[in-house]
Structures are given as C-alpha cells and as structure tokens.
Amino acid sequence: MTTASLYDVILSPVITEKSTAASEFNQVIFKVRQDATKAQIKKAVEKLFDVKVLAVNTIVRKGKNKRFRGIPGRQKDIKKAVVRLAEGEKIDVTTGI
C-alpha cells in the first residue's frame, strides 16, 4: 500500500472524553472508511505511526434523523476503529495525522 492509500483508510482520530480515557489502556480510536477491513486498518496504523498493533475492533454508528432549522436531514453512518497498541507504544493524536 502506498502512503496515500494508507491515509485513505484512516480518516481522522476521534478526540472525545471516552477516547481520552481509553488512551490510558493503550487504545486509540480512529474514524475509518466504511469499507476498510481490520487487516487494512492494522497495516495503515502500523505503517503511518510506526507502532505495534495488538488488536483492532470496529464499530459502525448508524446515522440519525435530525432537523436543522426545521429542515429534516440524515447524518451519515460512521465507522470507528478501536486500535489496541502494544505495551510501551504511544500515538499522540493531538498533533494530527
């Protein structure tokens, strides 16, 4: 995989209170493409950040129906990956990718 295709797999880090708490347990959460597999996510994280990945768990959050200024709309489905790193490894997601 080229570096450009690795960046296509991982879209952005998720920075929330829950993801910050997960970082204490060597876990990092990323927003990924809908069609990305666990193997592709693992390979992309290992190549981009030069870390050892132990496990990848994925979550698909279904989009919700919402209203904005009275106009009905629908949010997109989002796929997230919870990446567990090896002991001693670290990714600083606040610097950006």
Side-chain angles (χ1 to χ4, degrees):
M1 293 177 93
T2 64
T3 305
S5 63
L6 296 176
Y7 280 111
D8 288 339
V9 173
I10 296 175
L11 302 178
S12 67
V14 176
I15 301 173
T16 60
E17 289 182 28
K18 191 171 186 177
S19 66
T20 305
S23 66
E24 296 177 12
F25 301 102
N26 289 342
Q27 294 179 341
V28 184
I29 302 174
F30 293 102
K31 197 180 296 185
V32 295
R33 288 178 51 133
Q34 286 286 339
D35 58 348
T37 63
K38 290 183 180 185
Q40 290 173 336
I41 296 167
K42 179 179 179 177
K43 186 174 182 180
V45 171
E46 285 181 341
K47 296 265 183 170
L48 289 174
F49 299 104
D50 195 31
V51 293
K52 175 70 175 149
V53 175
L54 295 180
V56 176
N57 294 330
T58 57
I59 305 157
V60 177
R61 186 191 63 92
K62 298 296 181 184
K64 301 176 184 179
N65 292 320
K66 294 282 191 172
R67 287 185 167 270
F68 179 71
R69 295 185 179 173
I71 300 170
R74 180 163 178 83
Q75 293 178 339
K76 295 180 181 179
D77 296 346
I78 297 173
K79 186 172 189 176
K80 296 189 283 186
V82 180
V83 178
R84 188 163 52 110
L85 303 174
E87 193 66 36
E89 300 282 351
K90 187 176 179 182
I91 296 176
D92 188 14
V93 294
T94 57
T95 59
I97 57 174

